[in-house]
Amino acid sequence: MRNKIYCSLLMITSLLFSVNTFAQDNVTSESVMRSNGKIYVVVAICVTILIGLFLYIASIDKKIGKIEKENL
Amino acid sequence: MRKSWWKILAAVLLLYTFIAGFLIKVPDIGNLKETIRNLFFHVPMWFGQLILFTISLIYSIAYLRNPNLKHDIYAIAFAKTGIVMGILGLVTGSIWATYTWGEPWSNDPKQIGVAIAMLIYFAYLVLRNSVTDIDKRAKISAVYNIFAYFIYIPLIMILPRLVESLHPGGKGVEGNPGLNGADLDATMRLVFWPAVIGWTLLGTWISTLHIRINLLRDKKLINAE
């Protein structure tokens, strides 16, 4: 069970990484992040918050799983 | 992975909602402008709440049929998450209303209906905490939860449709309060329904955390039965 959660965490973190590199690549160049009234910046921020929340919930989930195992 | 696939699905669906929800082309309706995108965030709160309250109702009925404390723990957890979603729905609705209806609270039948429904569910929490005997608390709150649900449904789904309202789906306007008939075009549906499923799954996930903590806390009581 714990391995599975680690797997999913890794997957979500890798998603986070791709968002970050995406943002850095476009700081200097006039491209996606600055187009359409910079709406992509809002998307990046909201997605980051969402990923953060999911990581937090997943970590609580993991902690409860640990306690459940101890109490078996 | 077998047990947690739906948690990953919740994350994927909500990521999709947050990306597509901001970027897809939306129809231009009335004074909504870009705020029509709130449909992907505000409306799923209410859909999610309806589904979570329904699950809660099922566990309350299950408790009355078979008085196992587990059912009570499930019922309260889903109701609590539903209440949280309702508060978020009311607040986001008020923000949206400020910029489309002109004020956060216009005493619209839908706002009043849902506010009363929320108060009824707040009373559910108060009632539970006022009974110290665990079995009595479970039984009384199960009965009250069933009663609350069947007031909640007319308040949010029947009464608002019988009167005129600023909110979509009132008298004279076709369709569901959240889905105003033809206004919701095909691309919006492609984001809206995944959003509903995503938020519902996330609500369920949070509820299960609550359930697992309470099952651990009340382990001795449950095993004693």
Side-chain angles (χ1 to χ4, degrees):
Chain A
M1 184 63 196
R2 202 176 297 169
N3 259 340
K4 288 165 197 164
I5 292 166
Y6 276 134
C7 262
S8 55
L9 278 181
L10 200 66
M11 198 193 77
I12 299 166
T13 337
S14 66
L15 276 173
L16 182 75
F17 243 81
S18 70
V19 171
N20 274 342
T21 51
F22 187 59
Q24 277 164 5
D25 282 349
N26 295 298
V27 167
T28 46
S29 60
E30 285 291 322
S31 59
V32 192
M33 287 305 272
R34 285 169 191 268
S35 63
N36 281 339
K38 296 185 185 174
I39 186 68
Y40 293 100
V41 179
V42 184
V43 175
I45 285 169
C46 290
V47 167
T48 308
I49 291 173
L50 192 68
I51 291 171
L53 278 179
F54 267 105
L55 287 176
Y56 182 52
I57 297 173
S59 78
I60 296 172
D61 193 314
K62 213 176 77 181
K63 258 178 214 157
I64 297 173
K66 244 182 218 167
I67 299 170
E68 275 172 344
K69 248 182 205 164
E70 283 165 13
N71 278 272
L72 268 181
Chain B
M1 207 56 91
R2 198 182 63 249
K3 256 185 169 172
S4 51
W5 65 270
W6 58 275
K7 296 172 184 172
I8 296 165
L9 180 67
V12 170
L13 286 176
L14 286 182
L15 284 173
Y16 166 70
T17 307
F18 271 65
I19 296 168
F22 284 112
L23 299 180
I24 61 160
K25 262 190 133 36
V26 288
D28 191 14
I29 297 159
N31 68 348
L32 288 180
K33 308 267 190 252
E34 294 285 347
T35 71
I36 196 168
R37 295 183 195 277
N38 284 343
L39 185 101
F40 307 131
F41 304 100
H42 162 75
V43 184
M45 291 294 128
W46 299 111
F47 273 68
Q49 185 197 47
L50 177 64
I51 296 167
L52 293 177
F53 279 172
T54 308
I55 300 172
S56 175
L57 168 83
I58 292 167
Y59 279 109
S60 281
I61 294 171
Y63 180 83
L64 291 183
R65 290 173 61 88
N66 170 25
N68 183 336
L69 205 60
K70 262 187 189 173
H71 294 144
D72 180 57
I73 289 172
Y74 276 76
I76 180 64
F78 281 103
K80 271 187 178 165
T81 320
I83 289 169
V84 171
M85 282 194 145
I87 294 168
L88 291 175
L90 260 181
V91 173
T92 53
S94 294
I95 297 170
W96 196 0
T98 310
Y99 302 101
T100 46
W101 301 351
E103 47 188 345
W105 196 268
S106 18
N107 278 337
D108 187 81
K110 284 208 173 64
Q111 290 180 322
I112 294 173
V114 91
I116 297 170
M118 286 291 89
L119 289 175
I120 289 168
Y121 272 95
F122 287 155
Y124 173 55
L125 302 182
V126 175
L127 180 75
R128 283 183 66 83
N129 288 333
S130 65
V131 185
T132 45
D133 184 284
I134 288 166
D135 293 311
K136 229 183 227 169
R137 175 204 296 167
K139 193 168 209 170
I140 292 172
S141 60
V143 173
Y144 183 85
N145 194 25
I146 296 168
F147 163 80
Y149 186 83
F150 288 104
I151 302 180
Y152 164 75
I153 291 297
L155 277 173
I156 64 150
M157 295 187 84
I158 302 171
L159 289 178
R161 289 176 201 209
L162 301 176
V163 288
E164 279 167 21
S165 166
L166 291 160
H167 196 285
K171 186 184 169 193
V173 188
E174 265 188 53
N176 184 291
L179 308 160
N180 193 7
D183 290 354
L184 189 69
D185 71 0
T187 19
M188 289 188 76
R189 276 174 223 274
L190 277 182
V191 181
F192 177 74
W193 288 111
V196 169
I197 299 167
W199 285 114
T200 307
L201 287 177
L202 179 61
T204 311
W205 188 1
I206 296 169
S207 307
T208 59
L209 295 180
H210 198 279
I211 290 165
R212 284 159 69 190
I213 292 171
N214 280 343
L215 285 177
L216 281 171
R217 195 195 57 195
D218 294 342
K219 205 171 74 171
K220 282 186 188 136
L221 293 170
I222 295 165
N223 288 342
E225 280 180 32

